[in-house]
Amino acid sequence: MTKQTHTNAGHQTTTTDNNNPQVTTTDSSRPATPAQPALTADALAHLDVLVSGASIAGPAIAFWLSRQGARVTVVEKAATLREGGFAVDFRGHVHRTVLTRMGIWDELHRIQTDMGRQTIVDADDRERVDLPAHLMSGDVEVFRGDLAVLMYERTKDAVEYVFGDSIASLTETATGVDVTFDHGVPRTFDLVVGADGLHSNTRRLVFGDESQYLHRTDYYVAGFDMPNHLALDRTARLYTEPGRTAMINNYDGDPARAGAGVVFRSEQLTYDRRDTAQQKRIIADQLRDMAWPHVRQILDALDATDDLYFDAIAQIHIDRLSKGRVILLGDAGHGATMGGIGTGTALVSAYVLAGELVAARGDHRTAFAAFEAAITKYAKGCQKLSGNAGPFLAPPTEKKIRSRDRAYRMLSSRFLAGLFKRITEKAASNLTLKDYALSAAPLLPSSPAPAPGLATDVNRQP
């Protein structure tokens, strides 16, 4: 389910080219192998790597690469580290193994949401169905923004972060990638990782316009903060009419603050992703005549918010993740707006990409091919889980709403809850996770890293 969210952004220009054929995947569901001591902490010391995006996938790959000796720069278009966002969860032994090898498994439990029950109500706000939280929250659930802060804190001393800037062009040469920026001085890197989300700027520059890869459903989702007028305490209330759902939730126990969520069905909408006022009008039109009495407070909060998330529920379908020295990671390559355990997939993918680079001693051709072979089937399997998110949250007819509610009731039984848990964990665990013997210990930084929110000169060396 949702809390308040943030928009993400991205726009750029030129292209790069090289030959790097797609490789099909081989995966299995065998348990992950136990971690072994690191063989070396400087296996990638000869690499300068640029990462686009400072949400989750970007800092995750920066974490692993910097700890193997690579010099890593993360460029983020937002002026500051973006906090807030959806609640994200992790489930199954593959997620747990990667998070443990990163040394953050226990920390995630300290900052978890501890979300309680989620209740479907009728137009008079009477409770119809309860859904136990553990079905939606996995093994551990945290806010995306809290995870982003944690990842930043774990990498800031060894990684150069550049906020308030973005890649303008990428040109591959025989020895590297020449990069220009919207504001910073041009630089050359050995490798570029596009970890800049569903609407990836890097993907557009290297692979072409997102219209080729973005597959929309008939659903849209919005999220924003609102006052906690229902005095919710780590619970949520959802009201559904055919093709639209409004929800109010409180994930963090804050007595003053709640999150509003809206999911609705619509023909494809045309709007400016930078025009918040236009997006607010679209959402308000969907809410205005709903019968739930709390919609009035949601509309007031929508009008007042300056931190709106709004997007189509969509997926990225792309045949290959790399071209030459550039590779896509996380939602940039296998994005799903919601329901596809994308955060867990991003962290697993970052671990595998770093491991393959170490195994190939930094040879990007070998490493990128091995990465795609290892991760593509796994990531697409996780992505498929998101296909029913819209119809399940906002069924299109009264009949389907009743069917959805019956499914919720059944999932509340102990037997079916266990079955549902196993089904959702199957995709998240459908990978034989290699032990790459990566070091998770930070190396000493060669110079101080910039504080979040301070756009640094992109020519400064880490």
Side-chain angles (χ1 to χ4, degrees):
M1 308 310 289
T2 64
K3 187 191 177 244
Q4 65 279 3
T5 60
H6 291 263
T7 55
N8 55 12
H11 66 275
Q12 294 152 1
T13 48
T14 334
T15 65
T16 118
D17 197 3
N18 204 346
N19 296 320
N20 194 16
Q22 179 196 355
V23 180
T24 54
T25 80
T26 55
D27 289 319
S28 82
S29 57
R30 295 196 301 273
T33 56
Q36 301 294 328
L39 298 177
T40 175
D42 60 357
L44 303 179
H46 58 295
L47 291 182
D48 282 288
V49 181
L50 175 65
V51 177
S52 178
S55 180
I56 304 299
I61 190 62
F63 173 94
W64 287 115
L65 294 183
S66 65
R67 279 156 167 75
Q68 316 319 308
R71 294 172 297 279
V72 183
T73 299
V74 178
V75 61
E76 166 58 51
K77 186 173 183 178
T80 63
L81 197 65
R82 294 179 298 168
E83 302 183 24
F86 286 104
V88 299
D89 64 76
F90 303 96
R91 56 187 73 215
H93 71 269
V94 170
H95 288 182
R96 184 167 58 252
T97 298
V98 170
L99 294 168
T100 300
R101 291 180 184 177
M102 294 179 77
I104 64 173
W105 177 249
D106 292 338
E107 183 67 19
L108 293 182
H109 282 79
R110 284 191 286 271
I111 63 173
Q112 66 183 327
T113 63
D114 287 319
M115 184 63 178
R117 66 177 186 157
Q118 303 184 35
T119 303
I120 297 175
V121 299
D122 63 17
D124 295 319
D125 206 34
R126 293 174 301 205
E127 297 182 359
R128 295 175 56 177
V129 186
D130 269 350
L131 186 66
H134 67 271
L135 294 178
M136 306 299 289
S137 300
D139 297 330
V140 61
E141 180 184 62
V142 298
F143 289 126
R144 186 215 61 81
D146 291 345
L147 178 59
V149 171
L150 174 62
M151 295 299 300
Y152 174 79
E153 292 295 328
R154 292 295 179 100
T155 55
K156 66 179 182 179
D157 293 331
V159 172
E160 177 188 13
Y161 279 87
V162 180
F163 291 90
D165 207 349
S166 186
I167 299 172
S169 70
L170 296 164
T171 305
E172 184 163 341
T173 69
T175 57
V177 184
D178 294 337
V179 183
T180 66
F181 299 89
D182 287 346
H183 306 295
V185 177
R187 289 172 64 177
T188 298
F189 297 88
D190 297 300
L191 304 175
V192 175
V193 180
D196 40 1
L198 194 74
H199 301 289
S200 170
N201 185 32
T202 310
R203 187 185 61 235
R204 185 182 67 81
L205 287 172
V206 178
F207 295 91
D209 190 80
E210 75 172 30
S211 60
Q212 303 174 66
Y213 312 111
L214 188 70
H215 290 247
R216 293 177 173 85
T217 66
D218 294 330
Y219 284 84
Y220 291 79
V221 60
F224 46 95
D225 276 342
M226 68 177 292
N228 189 5
H229 73 286
L230 293 176
L232 300 177
D233 183 7
R234 293 183 172 87
T235 59
R237 296 178 83 80
L238 297 83
Y239 171 70
T240 301
E241 293 178 1
R244 53 186 180 171
T245 284
M247 64 190 84
I248 302 174
N249 54 65
N250 173 277
Y251 275 73
D252 58 7
D254 187 332
R257 187 180 65 180
V262 182
V263 176
F264 63 88
R265 188 170 186 247
S266 172
E267 295 180 356
Q268 184 171 332
L269 299 171
T270 301
Y271 60 93
D272 186 344
R273 292 182 57 244
R274 296 165 295 183
D275 189 340
T276 301
Q278 181 188 26
Q279 295 170 39
K280 286 184 178 183
R281 289 192 295 271
I282 292 171
I283 300 163
D285 286 345
Q286 294 292 327
L287 288 170
R288 212 176 308 278
D289 63 346
M290 292 187 78
W292 194 32
H294 302 297
V295 166
R296 179 68 262 166
Q297 287 87 352
I298 294 176
L299 281 166
D300 290 343
L302 173 65
D303 185 59
T305 190
D306 58 2
D307 188 16
L308 172 68
Y309 173 89
F310 178 63
D311 208 342
I313 297 180
Q315 297 181 350
I316 295 298
H317 295 172
I318 191 167
D319 291 335
R320 56 193 297 191
L321 298 176
S322 64
K323 185 177 287 189
R325 294 174 178 266
V326 180
I327 192 161
L328 303 177
L329 187 69
D331 281 354
H334 292 113
T337 308
M338 61 191 305
I341 43 179
T343 303
T345 303
L347 293 181
V348 172
S349 297
Y351 171 80
V352 174
L353 177 57
E356 294 298 344
L357 280 165
V358 168
R361 297 183 175 143
D363 178 356
H364 67 278
R365 297 175 185 85
T366 300
F368 288 178
F371 169 75
E372 295 200 46
I375 214 70
T376 300
K377 183 179 177 182
Y378 171 72
K380 287 185 176 180
C382 294
Q383 184 186 52
K384 285 180 181 177
L385 293 176
S386 70
N388 291 322
F392 195 71
L393 286 170
T397 65
E398 287 286 0
K399 182 179 179 180
K400 290 186 176 181
I401 291 173
R402 290 192 296 271
S403 296
R404 188 272 312 268
D405 293 353
R406 283 196 297 272
Y408 271 130
R409 290 189 187 96
M410 289 190 296
L411 288 174
S412 296
S413 74
R414 180 174 298 180
F415 171 75
L416 288 177
L419 178 62
F420 179 78
K421 184 175 186 292
R422 289 192 295 274
I423 291 171
T424 57
E425 286 185 359
K426 182 178 179 181
S429 299
N430 190 27
L431 177 70
T432 300
L433 195 64
K434 297 180 185 178
D435 177 13
Y436 296 101
L438 300 182
S439 171
L443 301 178
L444 291 175
S446 56
S447 68
L454 299 179
T456 66
D457 184 336
V458 81
N459 196 41
R460 187 182 62 80
Q461 297 296 321

